[in-house]
Amino acid sequence: MAGEDVVIDPWGSAQSTDYDRIIEQFGLSSMDNVRIDSPSRLHRRGIVFAHRELDTVLEAQRRGDGFGVLTGLMPSGQMHLGHSMVIDQVKWFQQQGGDVTIAVADLESQATRGVSLEKGRAIALEEYIANYAALGLDVERTNVYFQSSRPIVQRLGFQLGKRTNLNEFEAIYGFGGETNLAHVQAPMVQVGDILHPQTDDYGGLRPIVVPVGVDQDPHLRLTRGLASKTNWFNVADGKHSGVSITLSVHDENAAVLGQLPNGRMDKQRLKEIFDGIVKCMTELGYSDIQSNPKQGTVNVPSATKRDKTTIRMKLLAHERQLGGMGLLAPSSTYHHFAVGMTGDKMSSSQPKTTLFLGDDLPTVEKKIKRAFSGGQSTVEEHRRLGGNPDIDVAYQYMMYFFEEDDAYLAEINSEYRAGKLLAGEMKQLCIDRAVDWLGQLHEMRDQTAHLVKDFLAEDAR
Ligand code: TRP
């Protein structure tokens, strides 16, 4: 493929929107082939465009098994429409049965944006959680915590630091010798955020999905890699068929898995370990299990690709019993970014580029009136050539945020292209809906303000 590689910098302001390239370069999976039983607006419109191993979560959901949803917020500045997209996704997963954990990245905000922990707390509660409540997150199934006051998050980050190094950070984040160490530590804390909900004290082993903007994918790549590196058992496709299980011996588990100090294997111990694996597979109902301790593999020929997750989960639980961490690599989903109102990137530091959820209605109207338009420069030309809804902020915002009705959207889309609907008319449609939407949100915020404290986990109160 021609052209430069895309660089994703989670702290930078530049943001590539070359989504096909991003999928290819970073090995994301497209949502195109994913079956979603009750798709949300963002799914139906292709706005949620990519994922990593979402099937694991969807299968757990279909089986009625539990799954968790984790996302984080950076407490700095005001919450705007762009931020609400993650919450739309979280809400959808919650409606599908997921339990929700929300990390307030107060340590990250302090380290990378200079926001004090105290200030970070105030912003998180008054600005973000207040809006999450108004947007309809279910307080009964949502837990908000602060990075600074949940020790396991920091401990996991520290512990897993052992399995990465500066070279990997250079490869993932482009760090170099001049990089501030806060930027080295922040991702490790985020690793702790993402992995801790599956520890025994926070809900136990279950699939966890992390809905984020694609700018956060580097953290997911890091986390998934680190989780896999700690695993004691590898689960892979068998050579000819089925699933093949091998041991992954490292410092932490060498003794338990039977490696003697001289490097040789304790045959008796090894046999016990393999018997343990066989027992797990028997419990899952397989009968054709081939155990080869000498070759270091257990094969399950009748297992299918789809069984891999079940097998993996079973062995992670087993690993925990043997003293390992038993971490499942997280799943993730990614959404397209809505264009900024000026036609450039949406950014909280530039109020003209977005609608803040707290903007008053006259401001909303003014911003939309001035927004970048996909119309032609004169009415005559517009009638003749038609407008372009793909770059028209008013249309785009209805599609991303304000209009639920797909058929209606399709209708104004084609009328706009045909030149029947004028740019000013499109803006007025958007204003009507935006004012309605935000007006309702403000009302909800008053009604749900008393719930904010109930969103907080014990350790966040
Ligand atoms: N780094 C994220 C941001 O800049 C915030 C965050 C912290 C986060 N921990 C997380 C996001 C865990 C997703 C999952 O917005």
Side-chain angles (χ1 to χ4, degrees):
M1 186 183 274
E4 297 272 295
D5 277 355
V6 174
V7 177
I8 299 184
D9 173 3
W11 299 280
S13 55
Q15 189 59 68
S16 169
T17 50
D18 191 344
Y19 297 113
D20 291 339
R21 171 87 58 98
I22 288 175
I23 286 184
E24 190 188 281
Q25 190 179 318
F26 298 105
L28 303 181
S29 306
S30 161
M31 284 297 285
D32 290 349
N33 310 314
V34 179
R35 189 188 113 216
I36 304 262
D37 296 335
S38 49
S40 73
R41 181 183 69 230
L42 298 183
H43 296 119
R44 297 195 310 267
R45 298 178 188 171
I47 296 172
V48 173
F49 74 104
H51 71 98
R52 289 187 188 272
E53 260 183 273
L54 182 59
D55 298 341
T56 305
V57 173
L58 296 179
E59 275 167 32
Q61 190 263 336
R62 284 185 196 124
R63 280 197 307 268
D65 293 347
F67 69 93
V69 188
L70 177 121
T71 195
L73 67 95
M74 178 78 115
S76 79
Q78 300 178 60
M79 181 166 171
H80 60 62
L81 280 179
H83 298 125
S84 74
M85 296 176 70
V86 160
I87 300 312
D88 279 347
Q89 287 201 65
V90 169
K91 203 169 115 182
W92 182 80
F93 280 117
Q94 187 167 57
Q95 286 159 354
Q96 309 307 306
D99 62 89
V100 174
T101 309
I102 292 173
V104 176
D106 60 344
L107 289 178
E108 181 179 6
S109 190
Q110 181 184 46
T112 65
R113 309 244 171 128
V115 175
S116 73
L117 295 182
E118 213 185 347
K119 185 96 210 288
R121 181 183 176 93
I123 295 175
L125 298 187
E126 289 156 25
E127 185 63 28
Y128 287 81
I129 307 304
N131 278 312
Y132 292 6
L135 287 167
L137 280 196
D138 177 1
V139 66
E140 298 298 328
R141 296 174 58 78
T142 309
N143 267 292
V144 176
Y145 74 94
F146 295 86
Q147 286 178 331
S148 65
S149 53
R150 189 161 279 190
I152 190 169
V153 165
Q154 298 169 49
R155 195 165 72 228
L156 269 175
F158 207 103
Q159 219 173 337
L160 290 166
K162 196 173 161 183
R163 303 201 170 273
T164 182
N165 57 34
L166 290 175
N167 286 332
E168 189 181 16
F169 271 49
E170 183 187 354
I172 295 181
Y173 299 103
F175 289 170
E178 75 297 340
T179 300
N180 192 290
L181 286 195
H183 277 140
V184 177
Q185 297 185 64
M188 292 313 298
V189 177
Q190 187 153 341
V191 167
D193 286 330
I194 295 173
L195 292 176
H196 89 280
Q198 49 172 309
T199 61
D200 294 339
D201 288 344
Y202 290 91
L205 180 58
R206 66 203 187 289
I208 302 290
V209 61
V210 186
V212 279
V214 76
D215 62 308
Q216 297 294 304
D217 183 55
H219 300 313
L220 277 137
R221 258 179 283 146
L222 175 69
T223 308
R224 287 171 52 83
L226 290 175
S228 305
K229 282 183 209 163
T230 67
N231 290 169
W232 292 22
F233 306 104
N234 300 318
V235 179
D237 293 331
K239 238 195 215 135
H240 306 295
S241 66
V243 164
S244 156
I245 301 160
T246 53
L247 297 188
S248 170
V249 183
H250 35 76
D251 286 2
E252 270 112 71
N253 63 18
V256 181
L257 294 184
Q259 192 171 62
L260 300 165
N262 63 10
R264 295 236 201 92
M265 295 305 279
D266 171 346
K267 291 214 180 71
Q268 182 52 37
R269 181 67 194 145
L270 200 59
K271 182 174 179 316
E272 284 165 24
I273 291 294
F274 274 74
D275 287 350
I277 299 175
V278 170
K279 183 157 175 282
C280 286
M281 295 307 107
T282 311
E283 282 169 11
L284 287 180
Y286 296 106
S287 49
D288 59 338
I289 307 159
Q290 302 163 351
S291 177
N292 290 308
K294 274 206 188 119
Q295 289 168 16
T297 61
V298 173
N299 291 313
V300 189
S302 68
T304 65
K305 271 199 169 49
R306 295 192 73 199
D307 296 341
K308 256 196 319 195
T309 306
T310 317
I311 292 177
R312 193 171 279 144
M313 296 284 277
K314 180 79 178 168
L315 291 172
L316 289 172
H318 185 53
E319 177 189 320
R320 289 185 185 198
Q321 276 167 359
L322 294 171
M325 300 172 86
L327 297 174
L328 178 68
S331 305
S332 50
T333 56
Y334 305 92
H335 58 75
H336 284 172
F337 292 106
V339 63
M341 301 191 83
T342 51
D344 295 329
K345 201 199 154 220
M346 199 186 269
S347 155
S348 27
S349 57
Q350 290 174 328
K352 283 186 191 144
T353 64
T354 187
L355 296 178
F356 293 111
L357 299 192
D359 277 349
D360 57 31
L361 303 182
T363 306
V364 171
E365 178 164 0
K366 199 163 67 195
K367 282 184 178 178
I368 296 173
K369 279 212 169 113
R370 292 183 186 160
F372 186 81
S373 156
Q376 306 293 344
S377 40
T378 65
V379 171
E380 292 69 43
E381 260 180 55
H382 191 91
R383 295 271 184 231
R384 190 157 49 86
L385 302 169
N388 181 0
D390 299 338
I391 57 168
D392 190 272
V393 168
Y395 177 80
Q396 290 290 313
Y397 280 33
M398 282 193 268
M399 175 172 90
Y400 272 76
F401 307 113
F402 306 131
E403 178 57 57
E404 270 303 319
D405 186 345
D406 293 347
Y408 179 75
L409 263 185
E411 193 182 310
I412 57 174
N413 185 309
S414 60
E415 284 185 6
Y416 200 53
R417 280 187 208 284
K420 283 191 218 149
L421 195 64
L422 296 175
E425 292 168 334
M426 185 68 97
K427 283 185 173 172
Q428 193 53 51
L429 292 176
C430 182
I431 289 169
D432 293 345
R433 278 161 186 74
V435 162
D436 210 39
W437 192 89
L438 276 157
Q440 271 184 36
L441 184 78
H442 296 172
E443 215 166 276
M444 279 312 286
R445 216 159 44 206
D446 292 340
Q447 286 177 30
T448 55
H450 67 285
L451 291 176
V452 168
K453 59 180 186 317
D454 299 336
F455 276 88
L456 301 181
E458 272 316 296
D459 59 8
R461 294 184 181 202

